[in-house]
């Protein structure tokens, strides 16, 4: 089955700097790669996603890149702000073409230093 | 629009007790999921249901059972609770086309 590995587990960056979180997946049939943000005590919420027919997607300060050959994808946050402090999860599924399980990485706790 | 609703929000069980976590969604989604979240372990899939009438095991199904009662509802049952099942449980749903998973508010379960 699918396995998703996520690094690093914790990340601390200076406010205004960039943060990068990386994930790898094992199942080459996966075609949908979402990223979720979970604030303390809250439920995970989708912040950006990418499908396997696209190499990069950007939404304001957030971008995601996908390398299908290497089976890895990354989240990039630029100009970090205090409200970016949270736990971030990557995930993989075959859900774009058929209903399937969504497998998550183990999460990255991002802290923004003032 | 309520989205995904889980009950209860908090629960304390004694070892060996049973209970059912309830989940309902009002977004007409086909797929529903149960995850558990433990510190440092991320969100691990317990069971999922791709559509009404079907259920499949996820990464950590042992000690749990599920029922997809209808398109709206997907329940998780612990037959004989163990301290290792102390966790935060999240239900989620997604449509086939959208694929974004919407989560409930979570259930914090403690087994003593």
């Amino acid at each position: 089955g699918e396995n998703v590995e996520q690094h690093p587990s914790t990340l601390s960056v200076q406010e205004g700097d960039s943060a990068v979180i990386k994930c790898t997946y094992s199942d080459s049939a996966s075609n949908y790669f979402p990223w979720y943000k979970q604030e303390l005590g809250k439920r995970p919420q989708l912040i950006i996603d990418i499908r396997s027919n696209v190499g990069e997607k950007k939404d304001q300060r957030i971008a995601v890149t996908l390398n299908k050959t290497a089976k890895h994808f990354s989240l990039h946050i630029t100009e970090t702000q205090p409200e970016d402090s949270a736990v971030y999860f990557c995930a993989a599924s075959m859900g774009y073409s058929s209903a399937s399980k969504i497998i998550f990485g183990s999460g990255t706790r991002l802290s923004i230093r003032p | 629009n309520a989205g995904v609703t889980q009950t209860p929000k908090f629960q304390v069980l004694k070892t060996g007790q049973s209970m059912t976590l309830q989940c309902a969604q009002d977004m007409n989604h086909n797929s529903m999921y149960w995850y558990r979240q433990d510190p440092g372990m991320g969100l691990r899939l317990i069971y999922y249901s791709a559509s009404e009438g079907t259920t499949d095991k996820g990464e950590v199904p042992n000690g749990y059972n599920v029922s997809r009662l209808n398109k709206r509802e997907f329940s998780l049952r612990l037959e004989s609770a163990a301290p290792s099942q102390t966790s935060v449980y999240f239900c989620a749903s997604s449509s086939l086309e959208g694929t974004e998973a919407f989560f409930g508010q979570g259930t914090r379960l403690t087994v003593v």
Side-chain angles (χ1 to χ4, degrees):
Chain A
E2 177 65 277
N3 183 50
V4 178
E5 295 192 355
Q6 182 172 348
H7 300 280
S9 57
T10 60
L11 180 61
S12 178
V13 302
Q14 194 76 32
E15 182 177 350
D17 288 348
S18 296
V20 180
I21 302 170
K22 298 182 179 181
C23 291
T24 60
Y25 62 99
S26 61
D27 193 338
S28 57
S30 291
N31 56 23
Y32 176 67
F33 306 93
W35 286 87
Y36 288 80
K37 176 183 181 181
Q38 185 180 29
E39 297 176 345
L40 189 63
K42 302 284 185 64
R43 70 192 79 187
Q45 292 191 298
L46 182 77
I47 55 171
I48 195 168
D49 56 12
I50 191 167
R51 295 176 176 172
S52 58
N53 57 349
V54 175
E56 183 174 359
K57 183 177 180 181
K58 190 173 182 180
D59 182 3
Q60 298 183 346
R61 296 186 297 108
I62 295 173
V64 57
T65 59
L66 171 65
N67 183 327
K68 284 184 61 180
T69 303
K71 289 191 281 188
H72 65 70
F73 56 113
S74 300
L75 177 71
H76 304 253
I77 306 174
T78 59
E79 301 174 13
T80 53
Q81 300 171 4
E83 55 264 35
D84 295 329
S85 293
V87 178
Y88 292 81
F89 294 98
C90 61
S93 83
M94 292 179 279
Y96 186 42
S97 56
S98 63
S100 79
K101 61 182 79 174
I102 304 173
I103 301 299
F104 285 81
S106 55
T108 297
R109 183 174 299 278
L110 175 63
S111 300
I112 307 301
R113 303 191 304 271
Chain B
N1 205 355
V4 180
T5 303
Q6 289 181 235
T7 56
K9 291 184 180 179
F10 301 94
Q11 183 71 50
V12 178
L13 290 178
K14 293 182 179 179
T15 298
Q17 286 186 318
S18 63
M19 80 160 294
T20 299
L21 280 64
Q22 307 287 352
C23 176
Q25 52 92 8
D26 61 3
M27 295 174 283
N28 200 36
H29 285 167
N30 291 308
S31 301
M32 297 186 74
Y33 314 84
W34 276 106
Y35 292 90
R36 59 177 289 172
Q37 184 173 31
D38 304 297
M41 300 294 289
L43 292 156
R44 291 186 292 170
L45 182 65
I46 305 171
Y47 272 93
Y48 75 107
S49 171
S51 61
E52 183 179 356
T54 68
T55 60
D56 286 285
K57 294 179 180 179
E59 302 167 280
V60 289
N62 291 346
Y64 306 94
N65 285 300
V66 291
S67 295
R68 184 74 183 267
L69 305 170
N70 47 55
K71 191 171 186 180
R72 290 186 64 250
E73 298 172 289
F74 188 38
S75 62
L76 178 71
R77 183 162 177 83
L78 286 70
E79 290 291 351
S80 179
S84 60
Q85 294 178 305
T86 293
S87 188
V88 178
Y89 291 84
F90 284 100
C91 176
S93 71
S94 68
S95 66
L96 175 60
E97 296 78 16
T99 62
E100 173 183 357
F102 292 84
F103 284 82
Q105 79 273 30
T107 297
R108 185 172 296 276
L109 175 67
T110 302
V111 183
V112 298

